[in-house]
Amino acid sequence: KNLKFLCKTKMASLEGIQSKTQEIRDLTKMERTGTHSHIRGLGLDDSLEPRKVSQGMVGQIEARRAAGIIMKMITQGKIAGRAVLIGGQPGTGKTAIALGMAKSLGEDVPFTMLAGSEIFSLEMSKTEALTQAFRKSIGVRIREEAEIIEGEVLEIEIDKSVQSGAKSGKITLKTTDMEAIYDLGQKMIESIQKEKIVAGDIITIDKASGKISKLGRSIARSGDFDTVGASSRFVQCPEGELHKRKEVVHTVTLHEVDVINSRTQGFLALFAGDIGEIKQEVRDQIDTKVSEWREEGRAEIVPGVLFIDEVHMLDIECFSYLNRALESESAPIVIMATNRGMTKIRGTNYMAPHGIPLDLLDRLLIIQTTPYTQKETQQILEIR
């Protein structure tokens, strides 16, 4: 009796954990409304001409056109070793243009947002903070070939031993060309019961991990009204052989790879928050491995966007690091924003435009923003 009670309480706690994880997953899908959450792009047409009001962007016609031309150069790979500076008064849409550029590049392209004052920390050196920001903005698209079994479930047989209580079973899968019976282990039986797989479902089984994914119901079973729910999806019965090779694409940032390889707890360190400094040897090894994968055709580099707001807050050491980092072959597109005119370069007594040293300023493409009119401000508030 005690054993049964323990089992029940354990099952209840597991169900509670599963429901909590489900809640967390649902929460991550929620769109939180922020200052720039209404921006979906730069609002340009095919000839890079800005529309007056489009994709959440209002006004700033010249600045948006300039940003569009730079975006075209980025996508064609014709711009390298350069950065973009967006200059203008506070509240003239500098951050909005940077976010619009990131959205125009696509969901797969990494976008890192950083304020100039964020890098001054007691836990981490300034160059380490900038290195991490750079590597967060560089994605690696890794291609892998996975072996899968894909077919329609004809029959599932699960037997339970009277003596030991161990489960064993068989599953019959078919395609339009062939049919086969597979033996099921304990974990596979649990996965099938968890996914609520029944005869007539189209499933895929990853041979390496044993993960079962339910694609939907077979069209041949569309007449079975008793098994059809509101969210049921009907899929064609797969053709050809049951065993197939499928290409899987993962996109990760170099920083994520750094953290996983530099910490004993592996990928869990990404959620811990306390990342700290990462040794240069680890980064060099990762760069070597990624370059090997690139030569083999297994991976490709996806240069993202690093947006540094309040760039006048950086000091001379940071600017010298940026000057060197921009020359790297896998450097992201660096977009800076400032609202200062002639001001002192932090850490020196020299005056310079925007508080940026002249040698770095020569590398920058400058986009100027102008104040919004009263009508444009009203339109922004309406969209928001």
Side-chain angles (χ1 to χ4, degrees):
K1 280 180 182 178
N2 289 341
L3 198 79
K4 278 183 183 176
F5 178 71
L6 274 168
C7 287
K8 279 181 183 176
T9 50
K10 278 190 176 180
M11 286 294 284
S13 62
L14 278 168
E15 281 169 12
I17 291 162
Q18 282 172 354
S19 64
K20 278 179 185 174
T21 52
Q22 190 65 41
E23 280 173 29
I24 291 161
R25 281 185 200 135
D26 292 344
L27 276 171
T28 53
K29 289 176 191 172
M30 278 169 60
E31 286 288 330
R32 290 180 175 83
T33 305
T35 318
H36 299 101
S37 55
H38 60 287
I39 288 160
R40 302 183 307 280
L42 284 169
L44 307 173
D45 58 21
D46 295 336
S47 59
L48 301 180
E49 283 298 315
R51 302 184 189 96
K52 281 194 175 180
V53 181
S54 178
Q55 294 183 324
M57 296 291 278
V58 178
Q60 301 296 354
I61 301 294
E62 288 181 4
R64 278 159 58 201
R65 187 187 290 118
I69 292 164
I70 291 164
M71 288 303 304
K72 191 85 170 171
M73 290 165 76
I74 291 167
T75 49
Q76 291 175 357
K78 290 182 179 177
I79 182 170
R82 291 214 171 212
V84 180
L85 175 68
I86 305 172
Q89 293 177 28
T92 52
K94 298 184 292 294
T95 312
I97 289 170
L99 278 164
M101 288 173 85
K103 290 278 171 74
S104 302
L105 280 168
E107 291 292 320
D108 230 12
V109 177
F111 177 74
T112 311
M113 199 167 175
L114 180 78
S117 52
E118 277 181 44
I119 66 159
F120 296 98
S121 164
L122 295 171
E123 295 174 3
M124 204 184 290
S125 67
K126 290 175 282 189
T127 50
E128 175 64 22
L130 280 170
T131 307
Q132 287 193 12
F134 261 78
R135 289 177 79 85
K136 276 179 193 171
S137 311
I138 303 164
V140 185
R141 199 175 281 138
I142 303 161
R143 287 186 173 83
E144 283 183 328
E145 271 205 346
E147 282 194 16
I148 61 160
I149 299 166
E150 187 178 38
E152 181 187 330
V153 180
L154 277 182
E155 192 182 0
I156 302 169
E157 281 182 29
I158 297 169
D159 300 319
K160 192 173 180 182
S161 173
V162 178
Q163 295 170 346
S164 61
K167 289 179 182 177
S168 62
K170 289 179 180 180
I171 187 168
T172 311
L173 294 176
K174 71 149 193 170
T175 63
T176 51
D177 299 345
M178 64 181 290
E179 190 178 306
I181 300 168
Y182 296 94
D183 289 324
L184 296 172
Q186 190 75 31
K187 283 188 178 178
M188 293 285 276
I189 290 167
E190 285 172 15
S191 309
I192 284 170
Q193 288 173 340
K194 188 183 168 187
E195 292 284 334
K196 296 188 174 104
I197 289 163
V198 292
D201 288 341
I202 309 284
I203 62 164
T204 60
I205 304 168
D206 190 338
K207 284 182 81 176
S209 62
K211 189 189 171 194
I212 299 174
S213 305
K214 187 174 172 179
L215 301 178
R217 294 282 295 165
S218 171
I219 286 178
R221 302 283 181 129
S222 58
D224 301 353
F225 296 108
D226 56 330
T227 59
V228 177
S231 59
S232 288
R233 191 161 154 258
F234 290 103
V235 188
Q236 284 276 10
C237 182
E239 296 176 355
E241 292 197 4
L242 282 160
H243 290 257
K244 289 170 187 169
R245 294 183 78 84
K246 194 178 180 184
E247 193 180 67
V248 184
V249 181
H250 312 281
T251 305
V252 290
T253 65
L254 281 178
H255 176 67
E256 286 169 353
V257 183
D258 292 346
V259 173
I260 290 163
N261 286 281
S262 64
R263 297 287 175 269
T264 49
Q265 62 264 47
F267 75 95
L268 293 171
L270 289 168
F271 307 103
D274 181 25
I275 292 161
E277 297 211 4
I278 296 165
K279 290 179 184 176
Q280 190 57 42
E281 295 85 20
V282 174
R283 289 197 173 117
D284 291 340
Q285 286 172 2
I286 288 161
D287 288 345
T288 310
K289 195 72 186 168
V290 169
S291 60
E292 279 176 22
W293 287 350
R294 282 176 73 187
E295 284 170 17
E296 291 168 14
R298 281 177 62 194
E300 60 177 293
I301 294 287
V302 186
V305 175
L306 171 61
F307 176 57
I308 307 172
D309 210 350
E310 305 168 354
V311 76
H312 52 267
M313 290 295 291
L314 302 183
D315 61 11
I316 193 72
E317 293 169 21
C318 298
F319 286 127
S320 61
Y321 172 84
L322 281 175
N323 231 345
R324 185 189 64 81
L326 283 170
E327 291 173 1
S328 169
E329 62 174 64
S330 60
I333 308 304
V334 181
I335 302 172
M336 306 174 189
T338 181
N339 53 24
R340 300 290 169 93
M342 286 294 291
T343 184
K344 271 187 183 177
I345 302 166
R346 195 168 175 178
T348 69
N349 291 319
Y350 294 106
M351 297 285 283
H354 312 293
I356 299 170
L358 293 175
D359 56 342
L360 178 60
L361 202 63
D362 288 340
R363 284 173 175 251
L364 303 180
L365 296 164
I366 301 173
I367 298 173
Q368 191 179 358
T369 56
T370 52
Y372 288 111
T373 61
Q374 192 175 344
K375 191 184 175 184
E376 285 170 349
T377 310
Q378 195 175 341
Q379 281 178 314
I380 293 165
L381 289 169
E382 280 173 13
I383 293 166
R384 288 291 314 285

